[in-house]
Amino acid sequence: MDVVIRPTAEAAADLVARVIAREMRSNPRLVMGLASGNTMESVYARLVQMHCEEGLDFSACRTFNLDEYVGLSVNDANSYRHYMNRHLFLRVNINLQKTHLPDGMAANLPAECLNYERLIATHGGIDLQLLGIGQNGHLGFNEPLSALRSRTRVTVLSRTTRAQNAPLFPDPNRVPQRAITMGVGSILDCRQCLLLATGEEKAAIVAKAVEGPITSMISATALQLHANCLLVLDEAAASQLKESEYHHWLFENQPEWEPFRASELSSSTLDSQFQVERPEKKTAETVSEVINRVDGAAILRTGNAPL
Ligand code: GLP
């Protein structure tokens, strides 16, 4: 596991976005695993900016999201499909048919989970999986005691998770009880994992995930088993790590980080740059218009475009 610590949340998100962009440029058909949550919003804003200003091309890449709430339709503003459309998909030149999320409205949820795993396999597996971390250490919605070899399945959300996500819902009682999530084992199968955590409220769980014993009580500790895993933290999220000086030294001295050190933007520059304008072509269409245009949930969900 590699850990990089940046001074601010903005600088950490910028570095994550630039790692993603580097991978996309070296493999335009990259299969990306995507995550949702507040932390990811700055990453997606930065990717949108790179698309607008530097021509970062999403046209050939394929995406699979980690999870989706059970019972929320694609038109529900709290669904992760809606989140992804809003923050990334409708702002870049991605082919919506190549974007995938589990269908939380599926009549047969176990079959949907199996189908999602199969779809990932059909695409050759996930090259780069973006991850956040919940306050209880979950990855996706792998709540405490999720088996370290678990696959995509329906999970029941813990009270901590429902409380953490409640502010995003108009009424806290409307936070769904269940979700479909890729399993810990599915995540460990991805060729590269890239986790971003920022803010002091993540410091304790990050320290457990990075330096604590591997336990199914904290899904993120499973990343210690992954041979190609990068954690990007801001100073606040890294504040309880025992080895933070070592991580700083590596970033400042290892040649692989040279391009990232050289072009690092100041946080004030980033702040202003994060006020990303939508590309002109996309501003005309609202999320629901696009959903109608592509003929509803079926296309948005399964994306059966040829490989
Ligand atoms: C949700 C998602 C997780 C994400 C977590 C962190 O629970 N299912 O994938 O990591 O939120 O969210 P935030 O970035 O808002 O702290």
Side-chain angles (χ1 to χ4, degrees):
M1 182 184 281
D2 291 318
V3 178
V4 165
I5 304 169
R6 304 314 305 129
T8 63
E10 291 79 9
D14 176 60
L15 190 139
V16 166
R18 284 192 289 142
V19 169
I20 296 170
R22 181 189 61 185
E23 298 301 314
M24 286 176 65
R25 286 181 177 121
S26 77
N27 174 14
R29 282 173 52 78
L30 194 73
V31 180
M32 267 192 285
L34 298 176
S36 43
N38 292 328
T39 316
M40 294 304 145
E41 290 183 19
S42 323
V43 174
Y44 296 140
R46 187 77 179 92
L47 288 172
V48 170
Q49 185 189 20
M50 288 180 196
H51 168 68
C52 297
E53 294 178 6
E54 301 163 25
L56 183 64
D57 183 11
F58 288 77
S59 61
C61 75
R62 289 79 54 83
T63 69
F64 286 89
N65 267 73
L66 278 172
D67 46 17
E68 179 60 283
Y69 289 111
V70 167
L72 299 193
S73 80
V74 296
N75 294 312
D76 190 310
N78 284 111
S79 72
Y80 283 160
R81 162 56 76 181
H82 203 285
Y83 169 103
M84 289 310 303
N85 285 346
R86 229 167 38 236
H87 291 289
L88 184 67
F89 297 157
L90 300 188
R91 297 174 169 223
V92 296
N93 65 333
I94 204 162
N95 179 345
L96 281 175
Q97 295 193 28
K98 294 179 180 169
T99 67
H100 308 85
L101 284 92
D103 180 5
M105 297 291 283
N108 184 340
L109 292 170
E112 170 63 15
C113 296
L114 205 58
N115 183 47
Y116 201 64
E117 288 269 340
R118 284 192 185 133
L119 207 53
I120 292 172
T122 312
H123 284 72
I126 292 174
D127 295 310
L128 175 64
Q129 177 65 56
L130 184 59
L131 297 163
I133 183 170
Q135 272 164 21
N136 62 2
H138 70 206
L139 300 176
F141 276 128
N142 288 286
E143 299 290 44
L145 290 182
S146 291
L148 299 181
R149 299 175 70 174
S150 52
R151 310 303 305 184
T152 302
R153 69 203 188 287
V154 176
T155 52
V156 177
L157 304 186
S158 69
R159 282 177 63 183
T160 314
T161 296
R162 294 187 73 230
Q164 188 191 328
N165 293 353
L168 303 171
F169 284 76
D171 169 0
N173 295 319
R174 286 193 50 208
V175 182
Q177 310 257 4
R178 296 185 301 159
I180 295 180
T181 183
M182 278 168 58
V184 183
S186 329
I187 293 168
L188 291 179
D189 280 352
C190 302
R191 284 184 269 283
Q192 186 179 355
C193 288
L194 175 56
L195 185 145
L196 172 65
T198 58
E200 209 183 331
E201 64 282 5
K202 297 284 173 73
I205 197 66
V206 162
K208 286 182 183 165
V210 176
E211 295 174 344
I214 296 173
T215 168
S216 62
M217 279 298 287
I218 301 172
S219 300
T221 61
L223 294 175
Q224 295 175 29
L225 297 167
H226 199 285
N228 189 359
C229 176
L230 172 64
L231 260 71
V232 181
L233 310 171
D234 67 351
E235 284 286 3
S239 58
Q240 294 189 30
L241 288 181
K242 294 190 189 78
E243 295 293 334
S244 54
E245 263 181 50
Y246 173 65
H247 305 309
H248 278 298
W249 187 89
L250 286 177
F251 185 77
E252 293 308 328
N253 293 281
Q254 289 302 100
E256 66 184 280
W257 293 115
E258 209 277 322
F260 293 89
R261 290 195 295 272
S263 56
E264 182 130 283
L265 299 167
S266 76
S267 58
S268 58
T269 315
L270 282 167
D271 277 349
S272 61
Q273 289 182 348
F274 278 164
Q275 311 302 320
V276 177
E277 292 291 322
R278 275 170 177 248
E280 237 179 71
K281 213 174 139 208
K282 301 289 177 195
T283 44
E285 260 179 330
T286 64
V287 169
S288 45
E289 280 166 348
V290 171
I291 288 169
N292 289 338
R293 176 165 59 77
V294 297
D295 196 24
I299 287 177
L300 283 171
R301 177 176 66 81
T302 57
N304 289 321
L307 299 178

